[in-house]
Amino acid sequence: MKLKYTYLAAVIAASCNAMANVDYVLREGDPLTSQQWHLQNTGQTAFSDRGGKAGEDMNLDLTHALGILGVGVTAAVIDGGVQLDHPDLVNNVKPGSWDFLTDSADLKPRDGNDTHGTAVAGIIAASAYNGIGGRGVAPQAGLVGFNLLRKWTEANWLQSHGLYSDGFNRSSFDFPRVFNQSYGGARTSPQRYNYEVTPWLKRNDDAQEEITRYSHGGKGAIFVKSAGNSYQSQSITLKTYGRGRIYFDNANQGLPVQNSNLERMDATYWNLVASAYNADGVKSSYSEVGSNIFVSAPGGQYGTTSPAIITTDLTGCDRGRNPAYGRNDLHGGHELDPNCDYNARMNGTSSAAPNVAGAIALVMSANPALNWRDIRHILASTARKIDAEHPGVSLSFTHKEGDEFSYDAIPAWQTNAAGYDFHTFYGFGAVNVDAAVNMARFYSATLPPLEITDWHSTVANAIIPDGALTGVDSHFEQTEELTVETVQIQLNADHTSTRDVAVELISPSGTRSVLMTPRTGTIFGRSGFTETQMLSHNFYGESAKGVWTLRLIDTQGQDEKFTFNPSASGEPNVRFTHRNNQEDGTLNSWKIRFIGHK
């Protein structure tokens, strides 16, 4: 069962004089911290038109007041360029950064628009109490960076994870314990996960597994990954029209255009995937979701009508985000930022991931003896049930013969058989730093050794009836005892419109997890599912023993209209129609494996 921890704030406060004025401690010496709602949300506007809901933040006041600031933990920012000599970052920089554009250790951004990595680094570990800017979640954690995204190759990716770089000798004190990956791809259709067909996937998984499990004398490391930003629309390149975004009419019936499980890197166990919430304490409008989400963290909105995230920017008023904005806000010079070294428009799950990475650094700093699975367990056990009354998303559809159905495509908050709360939007919930750090400080119940079962194959060869809520079921019986931490499947199914198909997995305890929401993806790309991997944390703590049910449901699409909005300035929008299919599909086969402990 899930352990319930009461945070003994009063007891700890009695032994810590700093708690006499937490607000003063948090704000003293960093002028922008008063507007950093993700650290302490008082309803401040953060240089936007309005503020959010007080209390919807990382809940880290006491942790910072106790002086737990990330000391002894180094975070790696795998991104674009990072301005490591930024005055709010330079004191936390450690050896080991690398720029794959120049094959040098100089990560300085090469142009004034390469701002992303610097913003991410500031969210994790901008310095505190130095009289400038704001601060990071872990303001005394170490920082290294890799300029990878502007020169992406498999070899560079592997080197950025420390397998070959001399600067990241495994015995080095500065070898990262947290890797932040605020990037991803727009996937228009289900992806194939096959080591033989795509060998880099195996090298990818092997690299992450090796570092996760065996670095730091077996205490390991954690890779944090952003969930993606394609809930409302999707970026795509069309041969005739170039690059742009697709927007479905009727807001895609309230469902994500891209489910995070559609991205292969987000469906691997070795990435801890984070979704984003805003200053009102609800899912950020853009944030992708899925059963693969582990936790949620602040990402904000766009910094215009409501707050984004305030963080480091390229220095100077002629670089970074400053020239792009003419509003009377932080950008272009402000009494709190006279040198234009910060921005108030950072958002996306690119912001949520480094907030999680910073939180992990604080937990590691609070108890350096913890291993990587203990930390994941602590995050799952202490996460806050955000947006608690969210009803989920129902999808109504009409069968070709006239029958009307309503499908629970995204369930409301569920409590599984082990007592863990889970939501497709938020995973286990919002990261709760003070509760996680408290649990970490007094943690003694180390998890049993990790067990990863073989893949178990099931041949189905069963019809997926068109537009029938009953769908088709296939079963697998797990005969061995195992406490679940994660479940993965790989799916083979023929279908001419995967946008119609919902994929569910039901545990022996009756917990239903929607692995793939319907209305996901676009009309472009391959048809059906071919060795498509999906992951769910919904069953955390449950017993794997018993009969597992895979269910595929055709939710009877309809002719759908959507708009392609080209990125090129002045190009007109293009309208398309996705024609509904009225054909049955086929569930061919599937595999399942369990990751957990005995």
Side-chain angles (χ1 to χ4, degrees):
M1 294 294 290
K2 180 179 180 180
L3 298 177
K4 301 292 185 181
Y5 285 83
T6 301
Y7 196 42
L8 304 177
V11 175
I12 297 173
S15 64
C16 181
N17 292 333
M19 276 304 295
N21 192 339
V22 169
D23 186 69
Y24 174 82
V25 171
L26 282 175
R27 299 169 190 273
E28 172 68 15
D30 298 302
L32 291 175
T33 302
S34 63
Q35 293 296 321
Q36 287 184 297
W37 66 270
H38 65 290
L39 301 182
Q40 187 182 69
N41 191 341
T42 61
Q44 66 270 61
T45 63
F47 307 101
S48 66
D49 292 342
R50 67 169 182 86
K53 182 179 178 182
E56 295 293 346
D57 53 40
M58 298 284 286
N59 189 29
L60 48 66
D61 300 7
L62 183 55
T63 296
H64 279 192
L66 288 170
I68 299 171
L69 302 171
V71 172
V73 180
T74 295
V77 177
I78 305 173
D79 213 285
V82 181
Q83 188 179 344
L84 295 176
D85 63 356
H86 189 289
D88 227 0
L89 300 177
V90 64
N91 290 335
N92 289 333
V93 172
K94 303 294 183 182
S97 297
W98 196 256
D99 189 327
F100 292 101
L101 287 174
T102 61
D103 288 331
S104 74
D106 181 7
L107 238 63
K108 184 177 180 179
R110 299 293 177 240
D111 63 68
N113 297 316
D114 186 7
T115 66
H116 193 268
T118 302
V120 166
I123 292 172
I124 298 172
S127 295
Y129 316 116
N130 59 359
I132 59 173
R135 70 187 58 168
V137 174
Q140 290 182 6
L143 281 171
V144 297
F146 296 106
N147 188 347
L148 172 71
L149 300 189
R150 295 198 170 199
K151 190 177 180 182
W152 179 279
T153 68
E154 177 198 331
N156 289 350
W157 191 93
L158 291 172
Q159 186 175 347
S160 74
H161 288 67
L163 291 185
Y164 309 127
S165 171
D166 291 338
F168 275 90
N169 186 299
R170 291 293 177 81
S171 63
S172 169
F173 174 78
D174 295 327
F175 188 83
R177 286 206 74 192
V178 189
F179 291 79
N180 188 85
Q181 304 162 105
S182 287
Y183 53 82
R187 305 303 176 195
T188 60
S189 59
Q191 304 295 295
R192 189 174 188 181
Y193 213 103
N194 182 292
Y195 287 159
E196 294 181 1
V197 175
T198 315
W200 72 266
L201 284 173
K202 177 170 174 52
R203 290 190 285 269
N204 169 20
D205 285 357
D206 288 349
Q208 286 191 290
E209 179 178 0
E210 182 181 350
I211 291 172
T212 299
R213 299 182 70 174
Y214 305 118
S215 64
H216 297 277
K219 290 184 295 183
I222 294 179
F223 290 88
V224 181
K225 178 73 171 58
S226 57
N229 302 327
S230 297
Y231 194 102
Q232 296 177 308
S233 64
Q234 191 174 58
S235 177
I236 191 172
T237 299
L238 299 179
K239 193 171 185 180
T240 303
Y241 303 101
R243 191 161 185 80
R245 297 193 72 86
I246 284 176
Y247 298 83
F248 282 86
D249 288 6
N250 302 317
N252 202 42
Q253 296 177 276
L255 290 165
V257 175
Q258 179 166 325
N259 186 301
S260 184
N261 249 333
L262 210 59
E263 168 67 69
R264 281 184 292 211
M265 290 187 68
D266 294 351
T268 171
Y269 174 63
W270 309 112
N271 279 328
L272 189 156
V273 179
S275 64
Y277 67 86
N278 61 29
D280 295 319
V282 300
K283 184 186 75 64
S284 298
S285 59
Y286 50 76
S287 180
E288 288 176 34
V289 301
S291 61
N292 60 323
I293 302 299
F294 199 88
V295 287
S296 190
Q301 289 297 143
Y302 300 103
T304 51
T305 57
S306 60
I309 302 295
I310 297 171
T311 183
T312 45
D313 196 14
L314 302 187
T315 55
C317 296
D318 59 344
R319 304 176 71 232
R321 299 197 174 207
N322 286 289
Y325 303 112
R327 293 164 51 91
N328 183 25
D329 58 13
L330 182 63
H331 302 282
H334 189 281
E335 61 181 1
L336 298 180
D337 179 26
N339 299 319
C340 305
D341 294 346
Y342 301 88
N343 87 75
R345 300 286 181 86
M346 181 64 179
N347 58 27
T349 56
S350 284
S351 295
N355 273 315
V356 174
I360 290 171
L362 293 176
V363 172
M364 290 174 168
S365 183
N367 185 348
L370 294 173
N371 69 44
W372 62 281
R373 282 175 59 238
D374 293 332
I375 294 165
R376 288 172 66 120
H377 179 66
I378 287 169
L379 291 178
S381 299
T382 59
R384 177 169 59 90
K385 191 175 181 181
I386 190 173
D387 193 13
E389 302 305 316
H390 192 279
V393 180
S394 294
L395 174 65
S396 297
F397 63 95
T398 304
H399 188 265
K400 58 188 174 184
E401 296 179 356
D403 295 329
E404 294 186 0
F405 299 100
S406 179
Y407 174 61
D408 188 17
I410 294 180
W413 277 97
Q414 300 171 284
T415 302
N416 71 15
Y420 285 85
D421 296 322
F422 191 88
H423 195 294
T424 303
F425 279 12
Y426 307 111
F428 297 112
V431 172
N432 187 342
V433 173
D434 280 352
V437 164
N438 183 67
M439 184 173 173
R441 292 175 71 224
F442 303 104
Y443 190 82
S444 60
T446 298
L447 293 174
L450 183 69
E451 301 276 347
I452 303 177
T453 71
D454 293 333
W455 286 101
H456 305 288
S457 299
T458 299
V459 177
N461 291 329
I463 296 298
I464 309 167
D466 183 58
L469 195 59
T470 53
V472 61
D473 288 356
S474 181
H475 306 285
F476 166 77
E477 184 173 3
Q478 166 70 3
T479 57
E480 296 182 5
E481 290 282 2
L482 192 74
T483 299
V484 171
E485 295 177 35
T486 297
V487 179
Q488 290 175 302
I489 72 157
Q490 288 189 357
L491 174 63
N492 290 292
D494 295 327
H495 203 282
T496 56
S497 179
T498 54
R499 278 183 55 80
D500 293 358
V501 180
V503 181
E504 300 181 355
L505 186 65
I506 303 167
S507 73
S509 300
T511 301
R512 181 179 74 100
S513 181
V514 180
L515 306 183
M516 188 60 65
T517 46
R519 308 299 181 264
T520 292
T522 69
I523 62 170
F524 307 103
R526 64 171 59 88
S527 177
F529 300 87
T530 303
E531 296 175 296
T532 301
Q533 185 159 294
M534 304 171 216
L535 176 150
S536 179
H537 298 299
N538 214 149
F539 311 106
Y540 194 88
E542 291 190 359
S543 172
K545 188 174 182 179
V547 176
W548 291 77
T549 300
L550 183 75
R551 178 174 296 156
L552 272 63
I553 300 170
D554 183 320
T555 60
Q556 182 64 25
Q558 56 190 358
D559 287 356
E560 297 178 285
K561 293 188 180 296
F562 61 95
T563 299
F564 177 73
N565 183 2
S567 298
S569 177
E571 291 293 325
N573 293 342
V574 183
R575 293 284 285 171
F576 290 94
T577 300
H578 169 40
R579 300 295 179 188
N580 176 44
N581 83 310
Q582 296 188 1
E583 305 168 15
D584 294 339
T586 305
L587 168 57
N588 298 318
S589 62
W590 59 291
K591 298 178 181 178
I592 188 170
R593 76 170 178 179
F594 305 97
I595 301 173
H597 59 269
K598 291 182 178 176

